[in-house]
Every structure is written in structure tokens, then in C-alpha cells.
Amino acid sequence: MQAKGRVFKYGDNVDTDVIIPARYLAIADPKELAEHCMEDIDKEFVHKVQPGDIMVANKNFGCGSSREHAPLVIKVSGVSCVIAETFARIFYRNAINIGLPIIECPEAAQDIKDGDEVEVDFDSGKIFNRTTGKEYQGQAFPEFMQRIIKAEGLINYINEK
């Protein structure tokens, strides 16, 4: 399983209220909701993001409330993977549950710049920055998590059984 795309870079403590502001949570349609992804810190994100692009952030990505809307709008916006130094625990679990691949790698998170072209191999945990030629070793997904992500989320994975 792999991801490849252009990077959108963010800093520390990107919370769920920034990923999807609470004022939009009454919107039921995931595509319509995703039109507001990151708008409070990056108004151009939804206009620039392309299918396959990658988010990179520093520490504690996804902190704040436990809403599943946050990883959902990232995924629906077209992002194929989020790389961060660390993730808030509930965001990490919610991301896997809805089938959004995320990977922790402090060195890559600090080094990769906005606009870089990056590839991620989830089987090995390797992250390759095509722009700089640097390679990083992140934590590979266990096989059961890869199956959940390939199924597009936990509910689909369970229904396949």
C-alpha cells in the first residue's frame, strides 16, 4: 500500500476545531463538510488539494475533541496520508477507523517542507521525499490495520468478514 503526492505542511497542535470548525458540524454530507477542511488556518487548502496529496504536521496532530469528522474531511478532501511527529490518540484511532492512513515519523515531519513531493510505503514505513532525495523510516502499519485501511474503514472491514 502506498501514497504519493504534494505536501501541505502544518505545525504543532493542529486541533480538530481547526481541521473542521465546529460551526460546520451540522452538515451531514461528507463532501460538503470537506469544503471547509482547514479553512481557519489555510483558506486555500480546499482549492489547492488534489487527490493523493499528503498532509505533514509536527507534534500532537488532531488534538482537541474526539469527533470523527476531522479525519473524515481530510480523507474526503483527497488527502492520501497524514505524516506527523505524533498524533492525538483519539485522532489516530478515528483515522484508522474511517480508513485514513497516518504515519508517525518525527524526522520526516520536521524535515519535509510545504510543496515537497513525497511517497509513503505503508508496508515498510519508508517515506521518500522526491524533492530532496531524502528517505525516512516511519512506523509501518501492522497487517490488520492495513486491511482496515484497504477496506476504507473499520465498518467495511467488519462487513467483509
Side-chain angles (χ1 to χ4, degrees):
M1 205 166 86
Q2 293 190 322
K4 181 165 86 170
R6 183 178 47 126
V7 167
F8 288 86
K9 178 76 183 266
Y10 302 101
D12 290 332
N13 302 311
V14 175
D15 68 37
T16 55
D17 285 328
V18 170
I19 296 168
I20 184 61
R23 63 187 174 272
Y24 299 114
L25 295 180
I27 297 171
D29 177 31
K31 288 183 182 178
E32 186 180 345
L33 190 61
E35 292 173 9
H36 303 285
C37 184
M38 309 302 282
E39 78 177 25
D40 283 354
I41 63 170
D42 186 353
K43 291 200 183 299
E44 293 303 309
F45 172 78
V46 295
H47 303 294
K48 291 190 214 174
V49 68
Q50 297 294 313
D53 284 346
I54 295 172
M55 270 190 190
V56 176
N58 294 336
K59 296 176 187 164
N60 203 25
F61 186 85
C63 58
S65 71
S66 61
R67 65 179 70 121
E68 288 184 353
H69 300 80
L72 179 65
V73 297
I74 291 171
K75 180 180 174 183
V76 172
S77 72
V79 170
S80 64
C81 175
V82 181
I83 301 167
E85 286 186 54
T86 59
F87 291 92
R89 288 181 187 168
I90 192 70
F91 181 89
Y92 190 96
R93 190 66 237 175
N94 283 339
I96 300 306
N97 284 347
I98 61 101
L100 174 67
I102 59 177
I103 189 166
E104 289 185 341
C105 184
E107 184 183 17
Q110 291 172 11
D111 219 22
I112 293 171
K113 306 287 186 247
D114 192 62
D116 285 357
E117 293 287 331
V118 171
E119 291 181 32
V120 180
D121 182 321
F122 299 114
D123 296 328
S124 66
K126 291 193 185 300
I127 301 165
F128 180 66
N129 187 331
R130 294 177 61 98
T131 303
T132 65
K134 291 185 179 179
E135 188 172 282
Y136 311 92
Q137 183 61 57
Q139 185 175 357
F141 283 133
E143 187 179 326
F144 80 95
M145 288 174 89
Q146 288 190 43
R147 289 194 308 262
I148 292 170
I149 291 167
K150 284 178 186 173
E152 296 288 318
L154 184 60
I155 291 172
N156 292 338
Y157 171 74
I158 290 169
N159 288 333
E160 287 179 354
K161 295 286 175 181

